[in-house]
Amino acid sequence: MFDTILIANRGEIAARVIRTARAMGLRTVAVHSDVDADALHVTLADEAVCIGGAAPSQSYLRTDVIIEAAQTTGAQAIHPGYGFLSENPDFVEAVEAAGLTFVGPSAQAIRQMGLKDAAKRLMDEAGVPVVPGYMGEDQDPGHLEVEAHRVGYPVLIKAVAGGGGKGMRLVEAPEEFVDALERAKAEALTAFGNDAVLIEKYIQRPRHIEVQVFGDGTRAVHLFERDCSLQRRHQKVIEEAPAPGMTEEMRAAMGAAAVRAAEAIGYKGAGTVEFIVDGANGLRPDGFWFMEMNTRLQVEHPVTEEICGVDLVEWQIRVASGEPLPARQEDLKINSHAFEARLYAEDVPAGFLPATGTLSDLSFPEGLRAETGVRAGDAISPHYDPMIAKLVAHGPTRAVALRRLARGLRNSRVAGTVTNLAFLGALAEHEGFARGEVDTGLIARDIDALTAQPDVTPAIWAEAALTALGLTEAVDWETGFALWRPEWRRVVLEQGGTRREIGVKVRGPGSVLVSVEGQVVEALRGVRGWTFDDTPAAGAYLAPGQVTVFAHYGIAFDLPDPLARGAAAAGALDGALAPMPGRVVSVHVGVGQEVAEGDRLVVLEAMKMEHTMRAGRAGVVSEVLVAQGDQVEAGAPLVLLEEEA
C-alpha cells in the first residue's frame, strides 16, 4: 500500500476521495487552480499544489504539471476522480511511465470503451445485448440514410465520441434525417473534434438503468443497478438504487451482462455499464441493451454505497495497491434503498441557465448525506461545473427513502445564488415518480408543473422586509423604540421582476405591522420565534443587497439600487450584455445590420453550455464589441444597437 495519494481533481469528488484516503491513514495531496486556492478540497488535504490558471486547460487538464506535483510531494499514486483526466488513456500512460500508480483502469480498457461504435462491437462479441443499429465506418450521408431506413424509425443519431447529449438527435421520420444528421455532425465536431456518428433504434419509453461493476484486472463483480431515468436533456437529475420494478430475473441477467463487459476488457477498479431499457411493458430480461461503459467512478456512486454498505473509493485504493477484489459476488446484498439529487447553481425559470454567485448561506439537515465541495462564503466559479452538492437520502424502503429526500430538500438552505432546489423538491414529491413510474421522458412531459413558480404571499414579503431592516434578529427592543418610533417606515424589495414598497410599523417589543400592497400582515415574536399572520416564519438570511426567505425552497428578494436597475434595463434593450463570465463562441451580426426583436446576436459559452444572446428590441447594430474566442466578464456589453429616434 502506498502512503501518499494525489487527487487530480477539484470540488466535491476531490473532497470525497480525501475523506476516505485519510480514514485509511493515507497522506493526501490536493492540486488546485489559482482561483481554487481557498477551496474546500485544498483545506482538507495534507498538502496542496497550485497547478495553473482558472481555465481547466491551464490547470486540471495539464498532465505534466500534475505528475510533477505528485513527484515533488512524494505521492506514489494519483486518483483522477471523475471528469477532467479520469478517462484519458494518455494520462494513464504518462502516470505509469513516471513510476506512479493510477487509481483506475488501464489505458487499454479506457480506449476500448472510449468510442461508442467500437465498444458496442466489442460488447456484441462478448455476448452483451446491444441496441439494433449501425456502427460502421462508412459515414457517407446517403449510406447512413439507408441504414436508418433498415433500422426503422424512430432512430437516434449519436456521436461515436459523444457524451452528455452532445451530437445526439432524435429522428422520427425519414424526411427529417438529413437535417438532423448535419446538425448532429456539426455539434459532434465542435464538442469532440470527431464528427463520426452511429445510428440506433429509438426506444419509445426508455429507462436508463446502469450497473456498478468492480474488477481487479481479471475478475469482476457487480454491485447491482442504479436507475438514472430522471433526466433533463440527457443530463441526470435524480438517481436511485435499486431500480423500481426490477425483478430478480432481470437483475441477474443485467448483472451477468455487466460482469461479462468488464471482464472482456480486463477491467480494474470501479466502472459503470449503462443500459437502455424498454419500460413500456414492465422490466424483462430481453428488454435491455448496452449503451456505453464509463471507465471511472460515477457521480452517483453514493447510492450504491448506501444500499450495499461499502466504500467504493476505499475499494479503488485497495485494488490499485495490489489487493484482490474486496468481496465475492455472493457476499454482496441489497439492504435498503437510496436516492441522490444533484443540486446545481442554475436559473430554472430562465431555462436552467447556469449561475454564479457567492454562497452567503449553505446548510443541509441531518439525515441527508451531503457530498459537497463548497461552504458558505465560497463562490460558484464560471470556470467549472456549477454543482453545489449531491444530496443522498437512504431508507429501508423506497417510500421511506423518498420521503426523507423530500423532507431533506425542503429543509436545505442555500442563499447567494439561484439553484434548482425547488425543481428537485418538485420531482421528489411528484406522484408518478413516487409510484415508480419512471422513464427518461417524465421531466419533459411534466416540465411546466415541475418548474411552476410559487405563490409569494404577503407573509413572505413581510418576513423579507423585517429581515432587510434587521428586525427579526433584534433583541434590544427599547433601543428599537428609540430608532423606530411608532410610525410607518418604507423598504423597497424586488422579487421575480416585481418591485414593491413595503410599509413597516413597530408597535412594541416583538410586534410589528407590515403593509404589503394594501394588505396588513401582523408579525409577532413568541417563544418559538416569529409568526406572520399566525404562520411560523420560514427563516431568512440577509446578505448585502439581498434577502433570502427559506420558504418554497428559498425565495430571493433584491434590495435594488434604482440607478443600477435603470442602467441594466436600458442595456438589455439597447444591445446584449453577458449574463455571466464566458467565452464568445460566435457573433451573428455586423455593424449596420438590421435586427428584429429576438434575433440571435452572439452565442456565449459558460459553464460547459452555450447560451444565445438575443436582441431585446428591433433596431440597427451600431457596435459589435466582441469577436469569436474573446473572454468576457459578467455584465460586459457584447453588441449595441443605435438609439431609438
Side-chain angles (χ1 to χ4, degrees), residues 371-395:
E371 296 284 353
T372 183
V374 292
R375 305 145 297 187
D378 287 349
I380 302 298
S381 170
H383 302 286
Y384 312 114
D385 188 272
M387 179 184 284
I388 296 172
K390 303 182 312 191
L391 303 177
V392 184
H394 176 245

Side-chain angles (χ1 to χ4, degrees), residues 345-507:
E346 59 184 11
D347 190 341
V348 172
F352 296 86
L353 184 73
T356 57
T358 297
L359 295 165
S360 53
D361 190 36
L362 180 68
S363 64
F364 305 107
E366 290 186 11
L368 279 188
R369 172 178 168 178
E371 296 284 353
T372 183
V374 292
R375 305 145 297 187
D378 287 349
I380 302 298
S381 170
H383 302 286
Y384 312 114
D385 188 272
M387 179 184 284
I388 296 172
K390 303 182 312 191
L391 303 177
V392 184
H394 176 245
T397 66
R398 185 178 190 271
V400 171
L402 188 56
R403 285 198 298 270
R404 288 177 177 172
L405 177 67
R407 185 177 67 241
L409 292 170
R410 282 201 172 273
N411 292 327
S412 294
R413 294 171 53 129
V414 189
T417 182
V418 295
T419 75
N420 67 337
L421 184 59
F423 174 65
L424 295 175
L427 279 171
E429 298 181 10
H430 185 280
E431 291 183 1
F433 183 49
R435 292 192 297 267
E437 298 170 1
V438 184
D439 66 82
T440 58
L442 184 149
I443 289 177
R445 289 194 302 272
D446 293 348
I447 190 65
D448 290 341
L450 292 169
T451 58
Q453 296 304 292
D455 180 21
V456 185
T457 63
I460 296 174
W461 282 91
E463 185 170 358
L466 259 65
T467 303
L469 296 172
L471 295 179
T472 55
E473 300 300 322
V475 292
D476 188 349
W477 282 87
E478 291 183 355
T479 302
F481 277 125
L483 295 174
W484 295 91
R485 295 184 302 276
E487 61 184 36
W488 289 100
R489 300 292 177 125
R490 302 290 175 184
V491 60
V492 177
L493 298 173
E494 189 171 291
Q495 196 282 321
T498 299
R499 184 184 179 95
R500 286 180 176 170
E501 189 174 87
I502 310 298
V504 177
K505 181 179 183 179
V506 177
R507 297 188 299 182

Side-chain angles (χ1 to χ4, degrees), residues 22-37:
R22 296 191 71 179
M24 296 175 69
L26 300 178
R27 180 171 165 269
T28 58
V29 179
V31 293
H32 64 87
S33 65
D34 51 14
V35 297
D36 273 346

Side-chain angles (χ1 to χ4, degrees), residues 21 25 31 84 89 99-100 118 236 250 289 314 334 368 428 466 500-501 529 541 571 608 616 625 635:
V31 293
F84 292 135
L100 305 171
K236 300 170 187 175
M250 183 170 177
W289 301 274
E314 179 185 343
I334 297 174
L368 279 188
L466 259 65
R500 286 180 176 170
E501 189 174 87
Y541 188 89
K608 301 182 180 180
L625 302 172

Side-chain angles (χ1 to χ4, degrees), residues 64 87 114 135 137 181 205 215 220 225 248 250 252 337 352 369 418 475 480 493 564 594 600:
D64 56 339
E87 292 182 282
M135 298 173 285
E137 295 182 2
L181 177 65
R205 196 170 181 85
E225 79 281 353
E248 288 301 325
M250 183 170 177
H337 205 101
F352 296 86
R369 172 178 168 178
V418 295
V475 292
L493 298 173
E594 292 187 4
R600 181 171 59 173

